[in-house]
């Protein structure tokens, strides 16, 4: 099928490349001229595992091309809208990019089009889209509108697209449903050539869930807000664990063994970030407010999340007393590993608090430093983790990149001024850290000094919080 994807961000690029991979003829547009010319000349504008290879092979196979919005509108029988919906100052989602695309489609397209909202949008955006497409159409456009929310995680978006747990489509016509079924058939039946795995059988077939448009829109906001709630919940419990001397890793493990609770998204840390959870929780609260529903539960979720940075800074103060003049090393800037994305990353608020207190910040991130430089100009960017730790009074682990899980302890010990690690993501194994002579402060567990490294301590803390792993896996 001829498909257009409007917007070449994380979601749009993944959608375009993967739809090409499964056999469709895809045209992807981007309004940012610089980004478009990069894409046209085969340069990736962002880092996302596997995406570059999939883009390259689908382009070579002639099933993916890049160009302008106008060309995209002409091209596709189905048009996926994947433009950004950033937050407005009042928390509402800014829908101006969606509106601009709708007007362009209405003005330019003739014949039938299925217009699909993939960007995360507030409930009832579908009906607005429909209304405005029909109000402004000038070439006899006939169209249906559908909602097809994405559940792609940055860092695993290609895998999530090709092997999803569920595909949700919100439609109000049989024609729209049948087009979406056709688009997703290779994925539902898992009949495509997988660019990631040699054996995909274990992934199984996804559920194709058909709903009305409003319900599909709500599924997205409700899912992201629920996951954010789980994270804030475990962060709240982690605070209590620190006070009463319990181990949040064990608590999460015990909770997660209950299938009704589930073990994912119970990793405590310095809070959720990224371009999805913070804005989606805010937008969901605003939608509820406007509809007269009390969503104060989600306001608490936000409040707990916002408190996470203060909590880390407090831990630093407990250890270092005065932060002015102290050198702090940060490992990780991206909002999570396997991405270069720093939008709404906790590192931004952390750096700003540290600089405000008069500390000096040195940082290393394997992928996000280029993007961080314009947002965080007043810190020192380092070539590797040990250069960042050079002369530091404390090391804070901000993002759980794999390479931070097994540091070269000798190098770290000889770089750092004071052997203090604040592990904001529970990536290290406490017994190992203290055995290596470091004072270790993690999340929801007791702080440990090197002297406390005994066999009893080892038994208590053999489980490092490997994030985004089910708690039962962590416990084994
Ligand atoms: C999230 C959802 O997981 C996707 O399903 C959704 O499609 C996407 O938003 C979106 O709306 O587009 P993403 O933002 O890429 O995906 O990242 P997640 O892996 O969900 O992590 C979000 C944040 O929560 C990160 O800052 C992460 O560090 C934090 N987190 C996650 C925790 O603090 N603890 C956890 O246990 C899990």
């Amino acid at each position: 099928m001829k498909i257009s994807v409007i917007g070449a961000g994380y979601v749009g690029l993944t959608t375009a490349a993967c739809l090409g991979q499964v056999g469709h003829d895809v045209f992807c547009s981007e309004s940012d001229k610089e980004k478009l010319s990069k894409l046209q000349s085969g340069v990736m504008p962002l880092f996302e595992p596997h995406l570059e290879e999939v883009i390259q092979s689908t382009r070579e196979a002639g099933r993916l091309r890049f160009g302008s919005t106008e060309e995209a509108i002409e091209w596709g029988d189905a048009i996926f809208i994947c433009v950004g919906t950033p937050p407005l100052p009042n928390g509402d989602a800014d829908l101006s990019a969606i509106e601009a695309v709708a007007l362009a489609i209405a003005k330019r397209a003739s014949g039938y089009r299925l217009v699909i909202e993939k960007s995360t949008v507030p409930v009832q955006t579908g009906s607005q889209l429909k209304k405005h497409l029909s109000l402004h159409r000038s070439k006899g456009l006939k169209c249906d509108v559908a909602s097809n929310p994405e559940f792609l995680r940055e860092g695993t978006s290609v895998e999530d697209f090709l092997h999803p747990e569920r595909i949700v489509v919100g439609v109000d016509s049989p024609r729209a449903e049948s087009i979406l079924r056709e688009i997703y058939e290779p994925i539902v039946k898992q009949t495509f050539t997988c660019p990631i795995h040699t054996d995909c059988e274990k992934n199984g077939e996804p559920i194709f869930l058909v709903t009305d448009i409003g319900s599909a829109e709500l599924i997205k906001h409700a899912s992201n807000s629920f996951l954010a709630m789980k994270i804030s919940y475990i962060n709240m419990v982690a605070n209590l664990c620190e006070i009463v001397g319990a181990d949040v890793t064990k608590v999460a493990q015990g909770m997660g063994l209950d299938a009704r609770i589930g073990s994912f998204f119970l990793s405590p840390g310095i809070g959720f970030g990224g371009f999805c959870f913070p804005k989606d929780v805010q937008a969901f609260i605003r939608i509820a407010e406007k509809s007269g529903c009390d969503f104060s539960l989600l306001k608490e979720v936000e409040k707990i999340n916002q408190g996470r940075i203060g909590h880390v800074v407090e831990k630093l103060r407990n250890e270092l007393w005065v932060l002015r003049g102290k050198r702090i090393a940060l490992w990780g800037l991206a909002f999570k590993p396997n991405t270069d994305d720093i939008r709404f990353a906790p590192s931004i608020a952390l750096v700003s608090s540290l600089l405000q207190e008069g500390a000096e910040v040195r940082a290393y991130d394997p992928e996000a430093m280029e993007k961080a430089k314009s947002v965080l100009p007043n810190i020192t960017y380092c070539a590797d983790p040990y250069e960042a730790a050079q002369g530091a009074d404390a090391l804070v682990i901000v993002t759980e990149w794999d390479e931070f899980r097994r540091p070269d302890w000798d190098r770290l010990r000889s770089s750092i001024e004071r052997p203090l690690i604040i592990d904001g993501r529970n990536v290290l194994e406490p017994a190992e850290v203290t055995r290596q002579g470091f004072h270790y402060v993690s999340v929801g567990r007791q702080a440990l000094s090197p002297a406390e490294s005994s066999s009893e301590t080892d038994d208590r803390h053999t489980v490092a919080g490997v994030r985004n792993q089910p708690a039962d896996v962590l416990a084994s």
Side-chain angles (χ1 to χ4, degrees):
M1 186 183 300
K2 282 172 77 177
I3 295 175
S4 294
V5 174
I6 299 187
Y10 287 92
V11 173
L13 266 185
T14 305
T15 302
C18 292
L19 288 175
Q21 176 73 27
V22 304
H24 298 296
D25 287 320
V26 184
F27 193 103
C28 180
S29 74
E30 172 54 50
S31 56
D32 177 332
K33 297 257 164 6
E34 200 185 319
K35 201 165 164 190
L36 177 60
S37 84
K38 272 189 180 171
L39 285 165
Q40 286 172 326
S41 49
V43 178
M44 284 294 286
L46 51 88
F47 170 75
E48 180 64 33
H50 304 294
L51 191 52
E52 186 167 7
E53 302 91 274
V54 180
I55 289 179
Q56 198 186 334
S57 65
T58 45
R59 285 187 86 195
E60 278 164 16
R63 288 199 305 274
L64 174 62
R65 63 225 84 196
F66 295 102
S68 67
T69 308
E70 292 69 28
E71 290 171 290
I73 292 169
E74 302 284 340
W75 174 268
D77 300 317
I79 304 176
F80 282 88
I81 305 182
C82 299
V83 295
T85 51
L88 289 167
N90 68 358
D92 278 342
D94 180 353
L95 299 179
S96 51
I98 302 253
E99 186 198 39
V101 172
L103 296 186
I105 296 173
K107 234 190 246 162
R108 259 201 120 76
S110 54
Y112 178 85
R113 296 287 195 286
L114 175 61
V115 179
I116 307 155
E117 31 167 70
K118 204 169 226 339
S119 308
T120 302
V121 290
V123 61
Q124 290 172 346
T125 302
S127 33
Q128 290 293 341
L129 250 181
K130 213 169 161 178
K131 181 170 145 193
H132 287 274
L133 282 165
S134 111
L135 266 178
H136 297 281
R137 67 188 161 172
S138 59
K139 292 189 177 169
L141 166 73
K142 289 193 186 68
C143 70
D144 280 312
V145 166
S147 163
N148 170 221
E150 51 84 16
F151 304 105
L152 310 174
R153 293 160 299 173
E154 286 181 27
T156 52
S157 70
V158 174
E159 180 154 7
D160 290 345
F161 196 98
L162 295 172
H163 303 296
E165 286 167 326
R166 82 280 213 199
I167 295 166
V168 173
V169 300
V171 290
D172 63 1
S173 85
R175 186 172 186 179
E177 179 180 336
S178 100
I179 294 172
L180 279 156
R181 280 192 186 279
E182 190 183 332
I183 292 174
Y184 281 109
E185 189 182 68
I187 294 176
V188 171
K189 297 199 171 145
Q190 293 282 290
T191 50
F192 57 89
T193 309
C194 181
I196 305 176
H197 313 102
T198 39
D199 169 22
C200 293
E201 266 169 33
K202 62 178 173 4
N203 291 303
E205 291 182 3
I207 306 286
F208 191 84
L209 178 67
V210 182
T211 71
D212 58 283
I213 297 175
S215 300
E217 291 168 334
L218 275 179
I219 285 169
K220 176 59 195 268
H221 266 136
S223 300
N224 272 8
S225 299
F226 187 85
L227 291 171
M229 182 178 74
K230 266 187 114 173
I231 299 168
S232 279
Y233 186 85
I234 201 65
N235 280 332
M236 174 184 83
V237 173
N239 286 350
L240 182 61
C241 287
E242 285 172 15
I243 294 165
V244 302
D247 181 342
V248 72
T249 325
K250 295 287 181 198
V251 177
Q253 178 198 352
M255 288 169 61
L257 290 171
D258 183 332
R260 293 168 304 169
I261 296 174
S263 50
F264 287 99
F265 277 65
L266 285 180
S267 302
I270 63 171
F272 58 79
F275 204 58
C276 302
F277 284 3
K279 85 174 168 67
D280 288 355
V281 171
Q282 254 184 29
F284 209 29
I285 292 171
R286 288 287 297 152
I287 293 164
E289 268 170 7
K290 286 194 237 166
S291 314
C293 289
D294 181 2
F295 267 32
S296 44
L297 172 67
L298 288 185
K299 289 191 180 161
E300 289 302 315
V301 168
E302 273 192 311
K303 194 170 130 201
I304 292 168
N305 199 51
Q306 283 154 6
R308 298 313 288 163
I309 296 303
H311 201 62
V312 178
V313 175
E314 195 50 43
K315 284 177 176 170
L316 278 166
R317 275 200 220 101
N318 279 344
E319 301 298 332
L320 300 177
W321 193 11
V322 174
L323 296 186
R324 175 163 301 279
K326 299 281 162 58
R327 178 179 280 192
I328 312 294
L330 302 187
W331 280 7
L333 293 167
F335 82 98
K336 65 173 195 176
N338 301 320
T339 176
D340 60 353
D341 198 348
I342 56 146
R343 291 174 297 172
F344 298 100
S347 61
I348 298 174
L350 177 59
V351 166
S352 125
S353 294
L354 293 174
L355 294 179
Q356 249 169 38
E357 300 242 358
E360 179 202 346
V361 178
R362 294 166 68 81
Y364 167 75
D365 186 289
E367 293 292 341
M369 291 199 288
E370 241 359 89
K371 290 201 168 147
K373 280 176 186 161
S374 54
V375 186
L376 301 170
N378 298 321
I379 64 175
T380 306
Y381 292 92
C382 301
D384 63 55
Y386 308 97
E387 190 182 313
Q390 194 62 49
D393 295 287
L395 160 64
V396 184
I397 302 181
V398 178
T399 314
E400 63 277 34
W401 285 96
D402 257 351
E403 66 176 277
F404 302 153
R405 293 184 190 281
R406 285 167 293 278
D408 177 336
W409 290 108
D410 292 337
R411 264 184 94 186
L412 183 56
R413 220 180 295 105
S414 60
S415 317
I416 204 162
E417 176 68 24
R418 181 185 157 148
L420 166 63
I421 298 179
I422 311 280
D423 186 349
R425 300 291 192 176
N426 285 0
V427 300
L428 298 175
E429 196 173 313
E432 175 66 3
V433 183
T434 53
R435 198 164 34 240
Q436 295 294 342
F438 285 79
H439 187 77
Y440 184 59
V441 181
S442 54
V443 184
R445 303 183 290 200
Q446 282 172 278
L448 297 173
S449 59
E452 287 178 59
S453 178
S454 63
S455 54
E456 188 202 337
T457 324
D458 290 0
D459 286 341
R460 265 190 292 141
H461 292 301
T462 42
V463 181
V466 181
R467 294 166 44 70
N468 296 336
Q469 293 286 325
D472 49 322
V473 170
L474 298 180
S476 56

